[in-house]
């Protein structure tokens, strides 16, 4: 088994020489890695609380992660902030293919840090769905959003 004790995300990233703009408190992870070097298999649950990723703060991030068939699959991904939730599922293939399905509910525009100075005139909640697929060099993106309103006055 491989065990990572609870600790700061930045400390674990530094151990693998990664300087990513990600912070937060990582909860204990335990997994077993099996298979050959060409066909590794592992499964784990990731939990990060009170974090920031690429200048976007969040309350909690959870995900089930599987390594198998030369891809990393993410399922049951949940990102939460102030009552809003983004859920996702998808994979990253070692052949550089990827696919992601995203949905968001009850997202307050004022909780999106990148929009704090751009969307001052908007209030309300946003629900969204998106799908991104890349295979063999082509990229397809489908996105829908609904339910926000402009501030009066």
């Amino acid at each position: 088994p491989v065990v990572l004790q609870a600790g700061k995300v930045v400390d674990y990233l530094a151990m693998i020489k990664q300087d990513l703009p990600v912070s937060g408190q990582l909860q204990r992870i335990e997994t077993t890695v099996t298979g050959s070097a060409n066909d590794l298999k592992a499964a784990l649950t990731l939990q990060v609380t009170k974090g920031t990723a690429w200048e976007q703060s969040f309350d909690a991030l959870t995900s089930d992660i599987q390594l198998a068939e030369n891809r990393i699959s993410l399922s049951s991904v949940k990102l939460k902030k102030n009552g809003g939730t983004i859920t996702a599922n998808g994979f990253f293939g070692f052949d550089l293919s990827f696919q992601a399905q995203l949905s968001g509910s009850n997202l307050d525009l004022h909780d999106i840090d990148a929009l704090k100075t751009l969307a001052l005139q908007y209030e309300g909640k946003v629900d969204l769905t998106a799908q991104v697929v890349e295979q063999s060099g082509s990229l397809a993106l489908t996105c829908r959003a609904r339910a926000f309103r402009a501030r009066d006055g």
Side-chain angles (χ1 to χ4, degrees):
V2 175
V3 176
L4 295 177
Q5 296 301 327
K8 294 180 180 177
V9 171
V10 293
D11 293 341
Y12 281 108
L13 289 172
M15 287 173 47
I16 58 172
K17 299 185 190 255
Q18 296 295 311
D19 185 21
L20 299 173
V22 179
S23 67
Q25 183 66 32
L26 179 68
Q27 304 305 307
R28 185 177 192 270
I29 295 175
E30 185 172 335
T31 188
T32 301
V33 179
T34 62
S36 66
N38 293 330
D39 188 26
L40 293 174
K41 293 178 177 46
L44 60 97
T45 298
L46 176 73
Q47 296 178 325
V48 177
T49 56
K50 298 177 186 167
T52 302
W54 287 269
E55 299 182 10
Q56 174 60 53
S57 60
F58 58 87
D59 299 328
L61 170 66
T62 60
S63 180
D64 293 325
I65 302 171
Q66 298 82 33
L67 170 62
E69 300 176 5
N70 293 318
R71 70 166 73 174
I72 298 172
S73 298
L74 305 170
S75 60
S76 304
V77 177
K78 288 190 176 149
L79 180 70
K80 295 183 177 188
K81 181 171 181 180
N82 293 339
T85 302
I86 296 174
T87 59
N89 294 293
F91 71 85
F92 300 96
F94 293 174
D95 62 356
L96 301 182
S97 63
F98 63 87
Q99 181 174 331
Q101 296 83 33
L102 301 147
S103 64
S105 62
N106 202 35
L107 303 175
D108 190 322
L109 292 174
H110 294 273
D111 288 336
I112 302 171
D113 295 341
L115 297 180
K116 284 196 188 283
T117 59
L118 299 174
L120 296 176
Q121 72 273 24
Y122 295 107
E123 287 184 0
K125 308 289 183 171
V126 175
D127 294 333
L128 63 89
T129 59
Q131 180 174 12
V132 181
V133 178
E134 189 289 330
Q135 285 185 318
S136 304
S138 68
L139 181 66
L141 170 65
T142 306
C143 186
R144 291 194 169 95
R146 66 178 181 86
F148 71 87
R149 62 183 169 80
R151 181 183 300 169
D152 295 331

